[in-house]
Amino acid sequence: MFPLLIAAATVLAGAAHAETIRVGVTAGPHAEITDVVKKVAAERGLDIKVVEFTDYVIPNQALALKDLEANSFQHEPYLKNQISKTGWNIVKVANTIASPQGVYSLKYKKLSELPEGARVAIANDPSNGARGLMILALHGAIKLKDPNNVTSTIADITDNPKKLRFVELDAAQLPRSLQDVDVVSINNNYAVQAGLNPAVDAIAREAADGPWVNIIAVRDEDKDKPWVKQLADAYRSEEVKAFLDKRFKGTYIATW
């Protein structure tokens, strides 16, 4: 009888563990949103441990190395770029929020006011760097070879009438550069952490229906497991949508 009790306890412990997943997020808005997702999921029988990171590089690595079961912090172009370099078997399982990114300036209120030779800071990772360039192209500050190419680089600028000078920085460092350059393209989670409101403070923003919708990602081997649907459904819930509307007021927008 005693060995059977031990075996039963082991099975129960394994089942309890299987219902707990670790979800990686970047600190700030993504962490705040996932805390709400966690509460919704708990009511539906899924336990989520939120794991915060301070940059964009580690969450996918942690997922690939099985230190996480899922992550929710990135858009699909960024994931594809990382996969192209690493070969990680990570896949998108759901869209989450749209977050129209902006460019900011402490000196100018419009991109048209920029002087010749103005310094512009963009992210040094390919997808987010392209995103900054695409905002500038959308508003006529530069022209790109293909304005819809999510892998555009500085080399793809075909017209730069004001001879803008570009500075490439780690995405997490971009808010700090506001004091040093004329314009900065800042990812919204870092902008919000720095006290900026993208819906109000940006001097130019991208369209909400672009390719930059955020996603939930998991390892390919896990994509059909029941908890994946539970996680996606908890995220894409009315409770989370209401939180987005109240907390972020147009900075982060539900896509469901």
Side-chain angles (χ1 to χ4, degrees):
M1 182 69 72
F2 187 67
L4 289 176
L5 288 174
I6 293 176
T10 301
V11 170
L12 288 172
H17 177 73
E19 293 178 1
T20 300
I21 63 168
R22 298 161 295 178
V23 179
V25 298
T26 44
H30 285 295
E32 288 187 52
I33 296 166
T34 309
D35 280 340
V36 180
V37 176
K38 177 179 178 177
K39 293 175 184 176
V40 175
E43 295 172 356
R44 303 178 181 186
L46 178 66
D47 180 45
I48 294 175
K49 179 182 178 182
V50 181
V51 183
E52 292 189 28
F53 297 88
T54 58
D55 63 34
Y56 290 158
V57 177
I58 304 302
N60 281 329
Q61 182 181 34
L63 180 57
L65 294 176
K66 300 188 176 182
D67 293 324
L68 302 171
E69 279 66 57
N71 64 41
S72 177
F73 75 102
Q74 65 191 324
H75 45 66
E76 192 170 14
Y78 181 80
L79 175 61
K80 287 181 176 180
N81 180 265
Q82 285 219 312
I83 290 172
S84 72
K85 296 178 180 178
T86 62
W88 289 329
N89 291 317
I90 299 173
V91 296
K92 177 187 85 170
V93 291
N95 288 336
T96 56
I97 54 174
S99 181
Q101 186 170 306
V103 296
Y104 303 83
S105 176
L106 297 181
K107 302 176 183 177
Y108 307 102
K109 296 186 181 300
K110 299 178 182 177
L111 286 175
S112 60
E113 296 176 0
L114 292 178
E116 185 168 315
R119 298 179 73 213
V120 179
I122 61 174
N124 63 4
D125 65 87
S127 60
N128 287 305
R131 194 172 183 179
L133 294 174
M134 290 170 72
I135 296 171
L136 296 175
L138 176 66
H139 294 276
I142 59 172
K143 289 184 180 178
L144 293 170
K145 187 183 302 182
D146 177 0
N148 298 311
N149 180 6
V150 298
T151 61
S152 293
T153 68
I154 293 171
D156 295 310
I157 297 173
T158 58
D159 189 22
N160 183 4
K162 292 193 174 182
K163 298 180 174 57
L164 302 178
R165 296 175 294 159
F166 290 90
V167 180
E168 296 178 284
L169 300 171
D170 180 80
Q173 304 303 317
L174 287 167
R176 299 180 188 177
S177 71
L178 265 170
Q179 302 285 344
D180 303 317
V181 300
D182 297 290
V183 177
V184 190
S185 174
I186 306 175
N187 296 74
N188 279 3
N189 62 311
Y190 292 129
V192 172
Q193 280 183 268
L196 297 167
N197 182 339
V200 175
D201 299 325
I203 64 171
R205 295 179 83 193
E206 64 193 7
D209 59 353
W212 311 104
V213 174
N214 283 267
I215 63 171
I216 295 171
V218 303
R219 288 185 297 278
D220 185 64
E221 66 196 62
D222 292 336
K223 65 184 179 183
D224 296 319
K225 291 185 177 178
W227 60 260
V228 173
K229 185 176 186 306
Q230 285 181 283
L231 172 60
D233 287 348
Y235 199 117
R236 298 166 64 87
S237 64
E238 287 303 312
E239 293 93 330
V240 173
K241 186 175 183 179
F243 173 77
L244 291 169
D245 291 343
K246 181 178 180 180
R247 171 68 178 87
F248 296 111
K249 297 178 174 63
T251 299
Y252 293 89
I253 305 165
T255 61
W256 62 93

